[in-house]
Amino acid sequence: MSAEPSLPTPAPAPRHGVWLIGARGSVATTAIAGCAAVAAGLHPPTGMVTETPDFASSGLPALSSLVFGGHDTVDCPLPKRAEHLADGGVLPHGLPSAVHTELAAADREIRPGGPLPDDTDGTPGRTQDAWIDRFASDISDFVRRHGLAGAVVINVASTEPAPAEGTLPPSSLYAAAALRAGCPYVNFTPSTGLHHPALAALAASSGVPYAGRDGKTGQTLLRSVLGPMFLQRALAVRAWSGTNLLGGGDGAALADPAAAAAKNAGKERVLADTLGAAPEGEVHIDDVPALGDWKTAWDHIAFDGFLGSRMILQTIWQGCDSSLAAPLVLDLARLALRAQEKGLTGPLGELGFYFKDPVGDGPASLAEQYGELRRFAARLGDGAEERGSGGAGGRGSDGARADGRVSDGAGERSGAVGDGHVSDGSDERGARR
């Protein structure tokens, strides 16, 4: 008898990396645990826009294909962090045990972050470029060891103050490292990241897609809906004030007035963009440790109606920021990975739906931003035409650019890609939760 013909062994499905800055924080832990839970069918993908029908044909990486790692300056293991979140009601009871294997695997891929004040990691006078090189090596090693088709770097660390003039803050060091490693970059925080002027030329020449900044999860999400409503109904907004009460890592970080100012800038920008001018009023942020990972956001809106009739609208948003943010982080990871796979480069303004201060040009209204996102999803499909939007110059064999330059606003200095260097600055605090 003739032997049965052997069938070809199907190639293993490609895997994709998600490298999180602040990888042991509440948002990162919730995202990693949530991805495992949804992939295993333990919970529905509530809050994940990319799991809705409009994205079914976009060719996005499967949740089961995502491999997690990252940088952090804290050493609490992810399984233990997940237990703390479950105790606080952020994660469902029993979930940390159900996804312990996935949490432990991700925790093994977390590398020390930095720099902290006076932190040289045993190397006196470590330069900014040396930090970037170390971070980029960690990311590239992660991709190589796991045989990944690609990886995206997402900043979910706590908000840092605006940087001192002439220095790159930690968020910018991580952003430069992502570009050096040839990875898409997403800044989900208000921190500087790629917005630093010294990185403008590098970002433009990197040949990778990037998006940000400052995820829109609660109070500002509501503002991006209500602002256009007042404008479209020709109601004159006289004042718009707000208060945020929050605890956890964000509450502690935003107790710093400089960090709070960076956070509030995005909230105020949304109103200015939607209403045409910023109304009177401010946003106050209060650290209430007893709230843990939960927050309350209150807005007081004074507006005029017909014949000068004065009216008030008040809103209260109470929720868990980590649970609001985590599905968006997973959305952005999948979208950025697919964008690079399709050959897209430069700022992804189409992802403005997710951010308070989005890169590129685009509408400020949430409804219009959602329309942009849906069109973007259609372009990501296998039959869609590819486009490039920001890259220039050649790409090396490892996927990183070899000709980047970093501008400091007064001429140029060597870049953070290829064999360039970034001049040193004062030490800054590293990625926190």
Side-chain angles (χ1 to χ4, degrees), residues 246-336:
L246 67 164
D250 270 351
L254 295 173
D256 180 346
K263 184 77 172 177
N264 285 336
K267 294 177 179 291
E268 295 167 359
R269 187 175 297 109
V270 168
L271 292 182
D273 289 345
T274 56
L275 298 175
E280 294 180 5
E282 298 179 348
V283 175
H284 298 275
I285 298 178
D286 294 329
D287 178 23
V288 185
L291 290 178
D293 287 282
W294 300 79
K295 71 175 183 181
T296 296
W298 170 72
D299 270 14
H300 183 279
I301 309 160
F303 64 99
D304 289 343
F306 190 53
L307 304 179
S309 176
R310 295 200 164 189
M311 292 175 271
I312 298 291
L313 172 64
Q314 293 185 345
T315 66
I316 298 176
W317 180 290
Q318 293 178 305
C320 175
D321 214 30
S322 299
S323 297
L324 290 164
L328 307 186
V329 170
L330 296 175
D331 278 351
L332 288 163
R334 302 171 80 192
L335 290 164

Side-chain angles (χ1 to χ4, degrees), residues 146-200:
H146 289 281
L148 303 176
V152 58
V153 177
I154 305 181
N155 183 11
V156 290
S158 290
T159 303
E160 66 188 9
E165 186 174 353
T167 66
L168 291 179
S171 65
S172 295
L173 300 180
Y174 291 117
L179 302 189
R180 177 176 288 188
C183 295
Y185 173 77
V186 176
N187 187 1
F188 201 74
T189 81
S191 300
T192 303
L194 283 182
H195 275 64
H196 198 288
L199 298 183

Side-chain angles (χ1 to χ4, degrees), residues 79-431:
K80 179 62 68 176
R81 179 65 179 149
E83 291 175 7
H84 293 161
L85 292 176
D87 290 341
V90 178
L91 296 181
H93 178 71
L95 184 62
S97 296
V99 298
H100 181 275
T101 299
E102 290 85 351
L103 290 168
D107 193 69
R108 290 193 292 270
E109 297 298 333
I110 298 176
R111 300 295 178 261
L116 295 169
D118 302 320
D119 182 3
T120 59
D121 197 26
T123 306
R126 171 172 287 200
T127 64
Q128 291 181 134
D129 194 70
W131 282 108
I132 295 169
D133 187 59
R134 200 196 86 182
F135 296 152
S137 295
D138 289 339
I139 298 166
S140 297
D141 179 63
F142 169 70
V143 173
R144 182 175 57 254
R145 284 187 295 102
H146 289 281
L148 303 176
V152 58
V153 177
I154 305 181
N155 183 11
V156 290
S158 290
T159 303
E160 66 188 9
E165 186 174 353
T167 66
L168 291 179
S171 65
S172 295
L173 300 180
Y174 291 117
L179 302 189
R180 177 176 288 188
C183 295
Y185 173 77
V186 176
N187 187 1
F188 201 74
T189 81
S191 300
T192 303
L194 283 182
H195 275 64
H196 198 288
L199 298 183
L202 173 61
S205 65
S206 66
V208 300
Y210 54 90
R213 73 184 158 164
D214 199 3
K216 187 163 54 185
T217 60
Q219 184 180 45
T220 310
L221 177 67
L222 195 57
R223 287 179 168 209
S224 66
V225 174
L226 292 177
M229 178 198 74
F230 284 109
L231 185 67
Q232 292 160 6
R233 293 297 297 267
L235 298 170
V237 175
R238 294 186 293 109
W240 198 317
S241 301
T243 295
N244 277 262
L245 308 177
L246 67 164
D250 270 351
L254 295 173
D256 180 346
K263 184 77 172 177
N264 285 336
K267 294 177 179 291
E268 295 167 359
R269 187 175 297 109
V270 168
L271 292 182
D273 289 345
T274 56
L275 298 175
E280 294 180 5
E282 298 179 348
V283 175
H284 298 275
I285 298 178
D286 294 329
D287 178 23
V288 185
L291 290 178
D293 287 282
W294 300 79
K295 71 175 183 181
T296 296
W298 170 72
D299 270 14
H300 183 279
I301 309 160
F303 64 99
D304 289 343
F306 190 53
L307 304 179
S309 176
R310 295 200 164 189
M311 292 175 271
I312 298 291
L313 172 64
Q314 293 185 345
T315 66
I316 298 176
W317 180 290
Q318 293 178 305
C320 175
D321 214 30
S322 299
S323 297
L324 290 164
L328 307 186
V329 170
L330 296 175
D331 278 351
L332 288 163
R334 302 171 80 192
L335 290 164
L337 286 164
R338 179 59 174 166
Q340 185 174 48
E341 189 175 49
K342 291 290 289 183
L344 276 61
T345 64
L348 298 178
E350 299 93 336
L351 301 185
F353 174 78
Y354 291 98
F355 299 105
K356 297 182 182 73
D357 183 20
V359 298
D361 296 323
S365 161
L366 189 72
E368 294 179 89
Q369 290 175 336
Y370 183 61
E372 290 281 325
L373 182 64
R374 291 179 63 192
R375 288 186 285 274
F376 182 65
R379 290 200 298 272
L380 292 179
D382 287 327
E385 181 181 352
E386 298 178 8
R387 70 167 176 84
S389 61
R395 183 184 292 277
S397 60
D398 61 354
R401 291 283 165 159
D403 58 355
R405 301 284 292 177
V406 174
S407 170
D408 61 2
E412 289 190 336
R413 46 198 168 101
S414 298
V417 289
D419 57 359
H421 298 281
V422 178
S423 64
D424 192 19
S426 60
D427 288 329
E428 301 278 348
R429 65 179 181 88

Side-chain angles (χ1 to χ4, degrees), residues 28-95:
T29 306
T30 305
I32 296 168
C35 181
V38 173
L42 300 177
H43 287 271
T46 305
M48 288 193 64
V49 180
T50 53
E51 284 293 297
T52 60
D54 284 332
F55 295 81
S57 301
S58 297
L60 303 180
L63 291 173
S64 59
S65 77
L66 301 183
V67 181
F68 292 90
H71 284 111
D72 210 324
T73 59
V74 300
D75 56 9
C76 178
L78 280 175
K80 179 62 68 176
R81 179 65 179 149
E83 291 175 7
H84 293 161
L85 292 176
D87 290 341
V90 178
L91 296 181
H93 178 71
L95 184 62

Side-chain angles (χ1 to χ4, degrees), residues 11-37:
R15 297 193 300 166
H16 305 81
V18 181
W19 190 264
L20 300 169
I21 309 305
R24 291 190 172 110
S26 297
V27 172
T29 306
T30 305
I32 296 168
C35 181

